[in-house]
Amino acid sequence: MIFKVYFQDKANEVPVRENTKTVYVNGDSEKDVRIKLKSREINIEFVQAVKGAHLEYEQQSEDFKVLEI
């Protein structure tokens, strides 16, 4: 399943909406995705499963790249 992860680059700073970035990660569950990204020093704000029409919409974006971790 593909998950869209909203995050901040620096784990020790207060999240600012304008600095939020996204990445797509292939994983079994939200917990699995968080474990895969744990080694990176980022502040994960939200993990959202992407499927169906939502996935099709996201795939149309130029920035759609799924990380295989």
Side-chain angles (χ1 to χ4, degrees):
M1 180 178 280
I2 297 176
F3 291 86
K4 185 174 185 178
V5 180
Y6 297 84
F7 70 95
Q8 301 283 321
D9 280 328
K10 298 181 182 178
N12 59 353
E13 290 186 3
V14 176
V16 177
R17 183 183 322 152
E18 290 78 17
N19 296 336
T20 299
K21 297 180 180 177
T22 60
V23 67
Y24 300 91
V25 179
N26 195 7
D28 297 326
S29 65
E30 179 181 339
K31 182 178 179 180
D32 181 45
V33 170
R34 288 181 180 273
I35 290 170
K36 288 180 177 182
L37 295 175
K38 189 173 185 173
S39 64
R40 299 176 184 218
E41 294 187 17
I42 60 174
N43 181 6
I44 297 174
E45 294 179 32
F46 185 65
V47 179
Q48 176 183 23
V50 182
K51 55 187 173 182
H54 186 185
L55 177 58
E56 291 175 19
Y57 174 79
E58 294 288 349
Q59 287 173 330
Q60 293 175 8
S61 171
E62 295 175 2
D63 298 329
F64 184 82
K65 294 177 187 131
V66 179
L67 291 180
E68 297 289 339
I69 302 173

Short mmCIF file of all heavy atoms in Angstrom, two decimals:
data_model
loop_
_atom_site.label_atom_id
_atom_site.label_comp_id
_atom_site.label_asym_id
_atom_site.label_seq_id
_atom_site.Cartn_x
_atom_site.Cartn_y
_atom_site.Cartn_z
N MET A 1 0.85 -1.17 0.00
CA MET A 1 0.00 0.00 0.00
C MET A 1 0.90 1.24 0.00
O MET A 1 1.98 1.22 0.56
CB MET A 1 -0.90 -0.01 1.23
CG MET A 1 -1.82 1.17 1.29
SD MET A 1 -2.93 1.14 2.70
CE MET A 1 -4.14 0.02 2.09
N ILE A 2 0.44 2.28 -0.61
CA ILE A 2 1.20 3.52 -0.67
C ILE A 2 0.65 4.51 0.36
O ILE A 2 -0.56 4.68 0.49
CB ILE A 2 1.14 4.12 -2.09
CG1 ILE A 2 1.80 3.15 -3.08
CG2 ILE A 2 1.81 5.49 -2.13
CD1 ILE A 2 1.72 3.56 -4.51
N PHE A 3 1.58 5.15 1.06
CA PHE A 3 1.22 6.14 2.08
C PHE A 3 1.86 7.48 1.73
O PHE A 3 2.99 7.53 1.25
CB PHE A 3 1.73 5.70 3.45
CG PHE A 3 1.02 4.50 4.00
CD1 PHE A 3 1.43 3.22 3.68
CD2 PHE A 3 -0.07 4.65 4.83
CE1 PHE A 3 0.77 2.10 4.17
CE2 PHE A 3 -0.74 3.55 5.33
CZ PHE A 3 -0.32 2.27 5.01
N LYS A 4 1.12 8.54 1.97
CA LYS A 4 1.63 9.89 1.79
C LYS A 4 2.01 10.40 3.17
O LYS A 4 1.20 10.41 4.09
CB LYS A 4 0.55 10.79 1.17
CG LYS A 4 1.03 12.19 0.84
CD LYS A 4 -0.06 12.97 0.09
CE LYS A 4 0.43 14.32 -0.36
NZ LYS A 4 -0.62 15.03 -1.12
N VAL A 5 3.28 10.80 3.31
CA VAL A 5 3.81 11.23 4.60
C VAL A 5 4.06 12.73 4.55
O VAL A 5 4.80 13.22 3.68
CB VAL A 5 5.12 10.48 4.93
CG1 VAL A 5 5.66 10.94 6.27
CG2 VAL A 5 4.90 8.98 4.90
N TYR A 6 3.45 13.46 5.46
CA TYR A 6 3.67 14.89 5.61
C TYR A 6 4.72 15.07 6.69
O TYR A 6 4.59 14.52 7.78
CB TYR A 6 2.38 15.60 6.03
CG TYR A 6 1.26 15.49 5.01
CD1 TYR A 6 0.43 14.38 4.97
CD2 TYR A 6 1.04 16.50 4.09
CE1 TYR A 6 -0.59 14.28 4.05
CE2 TYR A 6 0.02 16.42 3.16
CZ TYR A 6 -0.79 15.30 3.15
OH TYR A 6 -1.81 15.21 2.24
N PHE A 7 5.76 15.86 6.40
CA PHE A 7 6.84 15.98 7.37
C PHE A 7 7.54 17.34 7.30
O PHE A 7 7.38 18.08 6.34
CB PHE A 7 7.88 14.87 7.15
CG PHE A 7 8.67 15.02 5.87
CD1 PHE A 7 9.91 15.63 5.89
CD2 PHE A 7 8.19 14.55 4.66
CE1 PHE A 7 10.65 15.78 4.72
CE2 PHE A 7 8.92 14.68 3.50
CZ PHE A 7 10.16 15.31 3.52
N GLN A 8 8.32 17.62 8.34
CA GLN A 8 9.19 18.78 8.41
C GLN A 8 10.62 18.27 8.35
O GLN A 8 10.92 17.19 8.86
CB GLN A 8 9.00 19.54 9.73
CG GLN A 8 7.59 20.04 9.96
CD GLN A 8 7.25 21.27 9.15
OE1 GLN A 8 8.07 22.16 8.98
NE2 GLN A 8 6.04 21.33 8.64
N ASP A 9 11.52 19.03 7.74
CA ASP A 9 12.91 18.59 7.60
C ASP A 9 13.64 18.43 8.93
O ASP A 9 14.49 17.57 9.07
CB ASP A 9 13.70 19.57 6.74
CG ASP A 9 13.46 19.35 5.26
OD1 ASP A 9 13.22 18.19 4.87
OD2 ASP A 9 13.52 20.32 4.50
N LYS A 10 13.33 19.28 9.88
CA LYS A 10 14.06 19.25 11.15
C LYS A 10 13.15 18.77 12.28
O LYS A 10 12.11 19.35 12.54
CB LYS A 10 14.61 20.63 11.46
CG LYS A 10 15.60 21.09 10.41
CD LYS A 10 16.15 22.45 10.72
CE LYS A 10 17.10 22.87 9.60
NZ LYS A 10 17.63 24.20 9.83
N ALA A 11 13.59 17.72 12.95
CA ALA A 11 12.78 17.11 14.01
C ALA A 11 12.72 17.97 15.26
O ALA A 11 11.79 17.85 16.05
CB ALA A 11 13.33 15.74 14.36
N ASN A 12 13.68 18.86 15.45
CA ASN A 12 13.73 19.64 16.69
C ASN A 12 13.12 21.03 16.57
O ASN A 12 13.26 21.83 17.49
CB ASN A 12 15.18 19.74 17.17
CG ASN A 12 16.08 20.41 16.15
OD1 ASN A 12 15.67 20.68 15.03
ND2 ASN A 12 17.32 20.65 16.53
N GLU A 13 12.43 21.33 15.48
CA GLU A 13 11.80 22.63 15.31
C GLU A 13 10.28 22.50 15.32
O GLU A 13 9.73 21.46 14.98
CB GLU A 13 12.25 23.28 14.01
CG GLU A 13 13.69 23.72 14.03
CD GLU A 13 14.06 24.51 12.78
OE1 GLU A 13 13.19 24.76 11.92
OE2 GLU A 13 15.25 24.86 12.66
N VAL A 14 9.63 23.58 15.68
CA VAL A 14 8.17 23.62 15.69
C VAL A 14 7.67 23.56 14.24
O VAL A 14 8.18 24.28 13.38
CB VAL A 14 7.68 24.92 16.36
CG1 VAL A 14 6.17 25.04 16.30
CG2 VAL A 14 8.17 25.00 17.79
N PRO A 15 6.69 22.71 13.95
CA PRO A 15 6.17 22.61 12.58
C PRO A 15 5.53 23.92 12.10
O PRO A 15 4.80 24.56 12.84
CB PRO A 15 5.10 21.52 12.67
CG PRO A 15 5.42 20.76 13.89
CD PRO A 15 6.07 21.73 14.83
N VAL A 16 5.84 24.29 10.88
CA VAL A 16 5.27 25.46 10.23
C VAL A 16 4.64 24.96 8.93
O VAL A 16 5.29 24.30 8.13
CB VAL A 16 6.35 26.52 9.93
CG1 VAL A 16 5.74 27.70 9.19
CG2 VAL A 16 7.03 26.97 11.21
N ARG A 17 3.36 25.25 8.75
CA ARG A 17 2.62 24.73 7.60
C ARG A 17 3.31 24.99 6.27
O ARG A 17 3.35 24.13 5.40
CB ARG A 17 1.22 25.33 7.57
CG ARG A 17 0.37 24.76 6.45
CD ARG A 17 -1.00 25.37 6.32
NE ARG A 17 -1.61 25.67 7.59
CZ ARG A 17 -2.49 26.64 7.78
NH1 ARG A 17 -2.88 27.38 6.78
NH2 ARG A 17 -3.00 26.87 8.96
N GLU A 18 3.88 26.16 6.11
CA GLU A 18 4.53 26.51 4.85
C GLU A 18 5.77 25.67 4.58
O GLU A 18 6.23 25.59 3.44
CB GLU A 18 4.90 28.00 4.83
CG GLU A 18 3.71 28.93 4.74
CD GLU A 18 2.98 29.11 6.07
OE1 GLU A 18 3.55 28.79 7.14
OE2 GLU A 18 1.83 29.57 6.05
N ASN A 19 6.34 25.05 5.60
CA ASN A 19 7.55 24.24 5.44
C ASN A 19 7.25 22.74 5.33
O ASN A 19 8.17 21.95 5.25
CB ASN A 19 8.51 24.48 6.60
CG ASN A 19 8.99 25.90 6.65
OD1 ASN A 19 9.01 26.60 5.64
ND2 ASN A 19 9.38 26.36 7.82
N THR A 20 5.99 22.37 5.34
CA THR A 20 5.62 20.96 5.28
C THR A 20 5.92 20.40 3.89
O THR A 20 5.61 21.01 2.87
CB THR A 20 4.13 20.77 5.59
OG1 THR A 20 3.88 21.24 6.91
CG2 THR A 20 3.71 19.31 5.48
N LYS A 21 6.56 19.24 3.89
CA LYS A 21 6.88 18.55 2.64
C LYS A 21 6.18 17.20 2.65
O LYS A 21 5.70 16.75 3.69
CB LYS A 21 8.39 18.36 2.52
CG LYS A 21 9.13 19.67 2.45
CD LYS A 21 10.61 19.46 2.34
CE LYS A 21 11.29 20.82 2.27
NZ LYS A 21 12.74 20.69 2.24
N THR A 22 6.13 16.56 1.49
CA THR A 22 5.49 15.24 1.42
C THR A 22 6.41 14.26 0.70
O THR A 22 7.24 14.65 -0.12
CB THR A 22 4.15 15.29 0.67
OG1 THR A 22 4.37 15.77 -0.65
CG2 THR A 22 3.14 16.16 1.39
N VAL A 23 6.22 13.00 1.05
CA VAL A 23 6.92 11.92 0.39
C VAL A 23 5.97 10.73 0.37
O VAL A 23 5.12 10.58 1.25
CB VAL A 23 8.24 11.59 1.11
CG1 VAL A 23 8.01 11.01 2.48
CG2 VAL A 23 9.11 10.67 0.29
N TYR A 24 6.07 9.91 -0.67
CA TYR A 24 5.24 8.72 -0.79
C TYR A 24 6.10 7.51 -0.45
O TYR A 24 7.21 7.37 -0.96
CB TYR A 24 4.68 8.60 -2.21
CG TYR A 24 3.83 9.78 -2.60
CD1 TYR A 24 4.38 10.88 -3.23
CD2 TYR A 24 2.47 9.80 -2.30
CE1 TYR A 24 3.60 11.97 -3.58
CE2 TYR A 24 1.68 10.88 -2.64
CZ TYR A 24 2.26 11.97 -3.27
OH TYR A 24 1.49 13.05 -3.60
N VAL A 25 5.57 6.65 0.40
CA VAL A 25 6.32 5.47 0.86
C VAL A 25 5.45 4.23 0.70
O VAL A 25 4.27 4.25 1.04
CB VAL A 25 6.75 5.64 2.33
CG1 VAL A 25 7.51 4.42 2.82
CG2 VAL A 25 7.57 6.90 2.52
N ASN A 26 6.06 3.16 0.21
CA ASN A 26 5.37 1.89 0.09
C ASN A 26 5.56 1.14 1.41
O ASN A 26 6.68 0.99 1.89
CB ASN A 26 5.97 1.09 -1.07
CG ASN A 26 5.11 -0.06 -1.49
OD1 ASN A 26 3.99 -0.22 -1.02
ND2 ASN A 26 5.63 -0.88 -2.37
N GLY A 27 4.45 0.69 2.02
CA GLY A 27 4.53 -0.01 3.29
C GLY A 27 3.30 -0.84 3.57
O GLY A 27 2.30 -0.73 2.86
N ASP A 28 3.37 -1.65 4.62
CA ASP A 28 2.25 -2.52 4.99
C ASP A 28 1.23 -1.79 5.85
O ASP A 28 0.04 -2.12 5.83
CB ASP A 28 2.76 -3.75 5.75
CG ASP A 28 3.66 -4.61 4.87
OD1 ASP A 28 3.41 -4.68 3.65
OD2 ASP A 28 4.62 -5.20 5.41
N SER A 29 1.70 -0.83 6.67
CA SER A 29 0.82 -0.11 7.58
C SER A 29 1.46 1.23 7.93
O SER A 29 2.62 1.48 7.60
CB SER A 29 0.61 -0.93 8.86
OG SER A 29 1.84 -1.04 9.55
N GLU A 30 0.70 2.07 8.63
CA GLU A 30 1.24 3.36 9.07
C GLU A 30 2.44 3.13 9.98
O GLU A 30 3.46 3.81 9.87
CB GLU A 30 0.17 4.15 9.81
CG GLU A 30 0.67 5.48 10.32
CD GLU A 30 -0.36 6.28 11.08
OE1 GLU A 30 -1.57 6.04 10.90
OE2 GLU A 30 0.05 7.15 11.86
N LYS A 31 2.33 2.15 10.86
CA LYS A 31 3.42 1.84 11.78
C LYS A 31 4.67 1.41 11.00
O LYS A 31 5.78 1.83 11.32
CB LYS A 31 2.99 0.73 12.74
CG LYS A 31 4.04 0.38 13.76
CD LYS A 31 3.53 -0.68 14.72
CE LYS A 31 4.60 -1.05 15.73
NZ LYS A 31 4.13 -2.08 16.65
N ASP A 32 4.49 0.58 9.98
CA ASP A 32 5.60 0.13 9.15
C ASP A 32 6.30 1.32 8.49
O ASP A 32 7.53 1.39 8.45
CB ASP A 32 5.09 -0.85 8.10
CG ASP A 32 6.17 -1.39 7.20
OD1 ASP A 32 7.25 -1.76 7.71
OD2 ASP A 32 5.94 -1.46 5.97
N VAL A 33 5.53 2.26 7.98
CA VAL A 33 6.09 3.45 7.32
C VAL A 33 6.88 4.28 8.34
O VAL A 33 8.00 4.72 8.05
CB VAL A 33 4.98 4.30 6.67
CG1 VAL A 33 5.50 5.64 6.20
CG2 VAL A 33 4.35 3.53 5.52
N ARG A 34 6.33 4.48 9.52
CA ARG A 34 7.04 5.25 10.56
C ARG A 34 8.35 4.57 10.96
O ARG A 34 9.35 5.25 11.16
CB ARG A 34 6.14 5.45 11.78
CG ARG A 34 5.02 6.45 11.51
CD ARG A 34 4.16 6.65 12.76
NE ARG A 34 3.11 7.60 12.51
CZ ARG A 34 3.22 8.92 12.64
NH1 ARG A 34 4.36 9.44 13.03
NH2 ARG A 34 2.20 9.71 12.40
N ILE A 35 8.35 3.26 11.03
CA ILE A 35 9.58 2.53 11.35
C ILE A 35 10.61 2.69 10.24
O ILE A 35 11.79 2.90 10.50
CB ILE A 35 9.27 1.03 11.61
CG1 ILE A 35 8.50 0.88 12.92
CG2 ILE A 35 10.54 0.21 11.63
CD1 ILE A 35 7.93 -0.51 13.16
N LYS A 36 10.16 2.63 8.99
CA LYS A 36 11.07 2.79 7.85
C LYS A 36 11.72 4.17 7.83
O LYS A 36 12.86 4.32 7.42
CB LYS A 36 10.33 2.55 6.54
CG LYS A 36 9.99 1.10 6.30
CD LYS A 36 9.25 0.93 5.00
CE LYS A 36 8.98 -0.54 4.72
NZ LYS A 36 8.29 -0.75 3.43
N LEU A 37 10.97 5.19 8.26
CA LEU A 37 11.48 6.57 8.22
C LEU A 37 12.16 6.99 9.52
O LEU A 37 12.66 8.12 9.61
CB LEU A 37 10.33 7.53 7.89
CG LEU A 37 9.72 7.37 6.51
CD1 LEU A 37 8.52 8.29 6.35
CD2 LEU A 37 10.75 7.63 5.41
N LYS A 38 12.20 6.11 10.50
CA LYS A 38 12.74 6.47 11.81
C LYS A 38 14.20 6.90 11.74
O LYS A 38 14.62 7.80 12.47
CB LYS A 38 12.58 5.30 12.78
CG LYS A 38 12.92 5.64 14.19
CD LYS A 38 12.59 4.52 15.13
CE LYS A 38 12.84 4.99 16.56
NZ LYS A 38 12.38 4.01 17.51
N SER A 39 14.99 6.30 10.87
CA SER A 39 16.42 6.62 10.79
C SER A 39 16.67 8.02 10.23
O SER A 39 17.74 8.60 10.45
CB SER A 39 17.15 5.59 9.94
OG SER A 39 16.68 5.64 8.61
N ARG A 40 15.73 8.57 9.54
CA ARG A 40 15.87 9.93 9.01
C ARG A 40 15.50 10.92 10.11
O ARG A 40 14.58 10.68 10.87
CB ARG A 40 14.95 10.14 7.80
CG ARG A 40 15.29 9.20 6.68
CD ARG A 40 14.31 9.37 5.56
NE ARG A 40 14.60 8.39 4.53
CZ ARG A 40 14.50 8.65 3.24
NH1 ARG A 40 14.10 9.83 2.84
NH2 ARG A 40 14.78 7.72 2.36
N GLU A 41 16.19 12.00 10.17
CA GLU A 41 15.91 12.99 11.21
C GLU A 41 14.88 14.00 10.71
O GLU A 41 15.20 15.15 10.41
CB GLU A 41 17.20 13.67 11.64
CG GLU A 41 18.13 12.70 12.33
CD GLU A 41 19.34 13.40 12.92
OE1 GLU A 41 19.30 14.63 13.09
OE2 GLU A 41 20.30 12.70 13.21
N ILE A 42 13.63 13.52 10.62
CA ILE A 42 12.53 14.37 10.18
C ILE A 42 11.42 14.32 11.22
O ILE A 42 11.34 13.39 12.01
CB ILE A 42 11.99 13.95 8.79
CG1 ILE A 42 11.47 12.51 8.82
CG2 ILE A 42 13.04 14.14 7.72
CD1 ILE A 42 10.78 12.08 7.54
N ASN A 43 10.56 15.32 11.19
CA ASN A 43 9.42 15.39 12.09
C ASN A 43 8.18 14.98 11.27
O ASN A 43 7.67 15.75 10.47
CB ASN A 43 9.26 16.80 12.65
CG ASN A 43 8.11 16.92 13.60
OD1 ASN A 43 7.47 15.94 13.95
ND2 ASN A 43 7.83 18.13 14.02
N ILE A 44 7.72 13.75 11.48
CA ILE A 44 6.55 13.25 10.75
C ILE A 44 5.29 13.84 11.39
O ILE A 44 5.03 13.65 12.56
CB ILE A 44 6.49 11.72 10.77
CG1 ILE A 44 7.71 11.15 10.05
CG2 ILE A 44 5.19 11.23 10.11
CD1 ILE A 44 7.83 9.65 10.14
N GLU A 45 4.53 14.57 10.59
CA GLU A 45 3.30 15.19 11.07
C GLU A 45 2.10 14.26 10.92
O GLU A 45 1.26 14.16 11.80
CB GLU A 45 3.02 16.48 10.31
CG GLU A 45 4.02 17.57 10.54
CD GLU A 45 3.69 18.80 9.73
OE1 GLU A 45 2.49 19.08 9.50
OE2 GLU A 45 4.63 19.50 9.33
N PHE A 46 2.01 13.61 9.74
CA PHE A 46 0.81 12.83 9.43
C PHE A 46 1.15 11.79 8.37
O PHE A 46 1.92 12.06 7.45
CB PHE A 46 -0.28 13.79 8.91
CG PHE A 46 -1.60 13.15 8.66
CD1 PHE A 46 -2.35 12.63 9.69
CD2 PHE A 46 -2.11 13.09 7.38
CE1 PHE A 46 -3.58 12.04 9.46
CE2 PHE A 46 -3.35 12.52 7.13
CZ PHE A 46 -4.08 12.00 8.18
N VAL A 47 0.58 10.61 8.52
CA VAL A 47 0.75 9.53 7.53
C VAL A 47 -0.65 9.15 7.05
O VAL A 47 -1.52 8.82 7.84
CB VAL A 47 1.46 8.31 8.15
CG1 VAL A 47 1.59 7.21 7.11
CG2 VAL A 47 2.82 8.69 8.70
N GLN A 48 -0.85 9.21 5.74
CA GLN A 48 -2.17 8.98 5.15
C GLN A 48 -2.09 7.90 4.08
O GLN A 48 -1.27 7.97 3.17
CB GLN A 48 -2.66 10.29 4.53
CG GLN A 48 -3.96 10.21 3.82
CD GLN A 48 -4.34 11.53 3.17
OE1 GLN A 48 -3.48 12.36 2.88
NE2 GLN A 48 -5.61 11.73 2.94
N ALA A 49 -2.94 6.88 4.18
CA ALA A 49 -3.02 5.85 3.15
C ALA A 49 -3.63 6.46 1.89
O ALA A 49 -4.58 7.24 1.96
CB ALA A 49 -3.88 4.69 3.63
N VAL A 50 -3.04 6.13 0.75
CA VAL A 50 -3.52 6.67 -0.53
C VAL A 50 -3.93 5.49 -1.41
O VAL A 50 -3.12 4.62 -1.71
CB VAL A 50 -2.41 7.48 -1.23
CG1 VAL A 50 -2.90 8.08 -2.52
CG2 VAL A 50 -1.88 8.57 -0.31
N LYS A 51 -5.21 5.47 -1.80
CA LYS A 51 -5.71 4.37 -2.64
C LYS A 51 -6.88 4.84 -3.48
O LYS A 51 -7.43 5.92 -3.26
CB LYS A 51 -6.10 3.16 -1.78
CG LYS A 51 -7.10 3.47 -0.69
CD LYS A 51 -7.30 2.27 0.21
CE LYS A 51 -8.18 2.68 1.38
NZ LYS A 51 -8.37 1.58 2.31
N GLY A 52 -7.23 4.03 -4.46
CA GLY A 52 -8.39 4.33 -5.30
C GLY A 52 -8.22 5.61 -6.11
O GLY A 52 -7.17 5.88 -6.68
N ALA A 53 -9.28 6.40 -6.15
CA ALA A 53 -9.29 7.64 -6.92
C ALA A 53 -8.26 8.63 -6.40
O ALA A 53 -7.65 9.38 -7.17
CB ALA A 53 -10.68 8.27 -6.89
N HIS A 54 -8.05 8.61 -5.08
CA HIS A 54 -7.05 9.51 -4.49
C HIS A 54 -5.66 9.17 -5.02
O HIS A 54 -4.89 10.06 -5.39
CB HIS A 54 -7.09 9.39 -2.96
CG HIS A 54 -6.22 10.37 -2.26
ND1 HIS A 54 -6.04 10.35 -0.92
CD2 HIS A 54 -5.46 11.40 -2.70
CE1 HIS A 54 -5.21 11.31 -0.55
NE2 HIS A 54 -4.84 11.95 -1.62
N LEU A 55 -5.32 7.90 -5.11
CA LEU A 55 -4.04 7.46 -5.64
C LEU A 55 -3.90 7.86 -7.11
O LEU A 55 -2.85 8.37 -7.52
CB LEU A 55 -3.87 5.95 -5.48
CG LEU A 55 -2.58 5.36 -6.05
CD1 LEU A 55 -1.35 5.99 -5.42
CD2 LEU A 55 -2.57 3.85 -5.86
N GLU A 56 -4.94 7.66 -7.88
CA GLU A 56 -4.91 8.04 -9.30
C GLU A 56 -4.65 9.53 -9.45
O GLU A 56 -3.88 9.95 -10.32
CB GLU A 56 -6.22 7.66 -9.97
CG GLU A 56 -6.42 6.17 -10.12
CD GLU A 56 -7.78 5.81 -10.68
OE1 GLU A 56 -8.44 6.69 -11.28
OE2 GLU A 56 -8.20 4.65 -10.51
N TYR A 57 -5.28 10.34 -8.61
CA TYR A 57 -5.08 11.79 -8.65
C TYR A 57 -3.63 12.14 -8.30
O TYR A 57 -2.99 12.94 -8.98
CB TYR A 57 -6.04 12.48 -7.68
CG TYR A 57 -5.80 13.96 -7.55
CD1 TYR A 57 -6.26 14.84 -8.52
CD2 TYR A 57 -5.10 14.48 -6.47
CE1 TYR A 57 -6.03 16.20 -8.43
CE2 TYR A 57 -4.86 15.84 -6.36
CZ TYR A 57 -5.33 16.69 -7.33
OH TYR A 57 -5.08 18.04 -7.24
N GLU A 58 -3.10 11.54 -7.24
CA GLU A 58 -1.73 11.82 -6.81
C GLU A 58 -0.71 11.40 -7.87
O GLU A 58 0.31 12.06 -8.06
CB GLU A 58 -1.42 11.11 -5.48
CG GLU A 58 -2.21 11.62 -4.30
CD GLU A 58 -1.80 12.99 -3.81
OE1 GLU A 58 -0.76 13.52 -4.25
OE2 GLU A 58 -2.55 13.55 -2.99
N GLN A 59 -0.98 10.32 -8.59
CA GLN A 59 -0.06 9.82 -9.61
C GLN A 59 0.07 10.78 -10.79
O GLN A 59 1.05 10.71 -11.53
CB GLN A 59 -0.50 8.44 -10.10
CG GLN A 59 -0.26 7.35 -9.09
CD GLN A 59 -0.85 6.02 -9.50
OE1 GLN A 59 -1.86 5.96 -10.21
NE2 GLN A 59 -0.24 4.94 -9.05
N GLN A 60 -0.88 11.66 -10.97
CA GLN A 60 -0.83 12.64 -12.06
C GLN A 60 0.15 13.77 -11.77
O GLN A 60 0.54 14.49 -12.68
CB GLN A 60 -2.22 13.21 -12.31
CG GLN A 60 -3.19 12.19 -12.85
CD GLN A 60 -4.60 12.74 -12.97
OE1 GLN A 60 -4.84 13.92 -12.79
NE2 GLN A 60 -5.55 11.87 -13.27
N SER A 61 0.58 13.91 -10.53
CA SER A 61 1.50 14.97 -10.14
C SER A 61 2.92 14.65 -10.61
O SER A 61 3.34 13.50 -10.61
CB SER A 61 1.51 15.12 -8.61
OG SER A 61 2.54 15.99 -8.20
N GLU A 62 3.65 15.68 -11.00
CA GLU A 62 5.05 15.52 -11.39
C GLU A 62 5.91 15.06 -10.22
O GLU A 62 6.94 14.42 -10.41
CB GLU A 62 5.61 16.85 -11.91
CG GLU A 62 4.98 17.34 -13.17
CD GLU A 62 5.50 18.70 -13.57
OE1 GLU A 62 6.38 19.24 -12.87
OE2 GLU A 62 5.03 19.22 -14.58
N ASP A 63 5.49 15.38 -9.00
CA ASP A 63 6.27 15.07 -7.81
C ASP A 63 6.00 13.67 -7.26
O ASP A 63 6.56 13.30 -6.24
CB ASP A 63 5.97 16.10 -6.70
CG ASP A 63 6.35 17.50 -7.11
OD1 ASP A 63 7.32 17.66 -7.88
OD2 ASP A 63 5.68 18.45 -6.67
N PHE A 64 5.16 12.90 -7.92
CA PHE A 64 4.79 11.58 -7.42
C PHE A 64 5.94 10.60 -7.68
O PHE A 64 6.20 10.20 -8.81
CB PHE A 64 3.52 11.07 -8.07
CG PHE A 64 3.06 9.76 -7.52
CD1 PHE A 64 2.33 9.70 -6.34
CD2 PHE A 64 3.37 8.56 -8.15
CE1 PHE A 64 1.92 8.50 -5.80
CE2 PHE A 64 2.96 7.35 -7.64
CZ PHE A 64 2.23 7.31 -6.46
N LYS A 65 6.63 10.23 -6.60
CA LYS A 65 7.68 9.21 -6.64
C LYS A 65 7.57 8.43 -5.36
O LYS A 65 7.57 8.99 -4.27
CB LYS A 65 9.05 9.86 -6.74
CG LYS A 65 9.28 10.60 -8.04
CD LYS A 65 10.62 11.29 -8.06
CE LYS A 65 10.70 12.13 -9.31
NZ LYS A 65 11.13 13.48 -9.08
N VAL A 66 7.47 7.12 -5.46
CA VAL A 66 7.31 6.26 -4.29
C VAL A 66 8.68 5.79 -3.83
O VAL A 66 9.45 5.23 -4.62
CB VAL A 66 6.40 5.05 -4.61
CG1 VAL A 66 6.28 4.15 -3.39
CG2 VAL A 66 5.03 5.51 -5.06
N LEU A 67 8.98 6.02 -2.55
CA LEU A 67 10.23 5.53 -1.98
C LEU A 67 10.08 4.07 -1.63
O LEU A 67 9.13 3.68 -0.97
CB LEU A 67 10.57 6.31 -0.69
CG LEU A 67 10.97 7.75 -0.82
CD1 LEU A 67 11.26 8.33 0.55
CD2 LEU A 67 12.17 7.91 -1.71
N GLU A 68 11.01 3.27 -2.06
CA GLU A 68 11.04 1.84 -1.72
C GLU A 68 12.13 1.68 -0.67
O GLU A 68 13.31 1.60 -1.00
CB GLU A 68 11.32 0.99 -2.95
CG GLU A 68 10.27 1.06 -4.02
CD GLU A 68 8.98 0.38 -3.66
OE1 GLU A 68 8.97 -0.49 -2.78
OE2 GLU A 68 7.95 0.73 -4.28
N ILE A 69 11.74 1.65 0.58
CA ILE A 69 12.71 1.56 1.69
C ILE A 69 12.67 0.16 2.26
O ILE A 69 11.67 -0.40 2.50
CB ILE A 69 12.40 2.60 2.78
CG1 ILE A 69 12.42 3.99 2.17
CG2 ILE A 69 13.42 2.50 3.90
CD1 ILE A 69 11.97 5.08 3.12
#
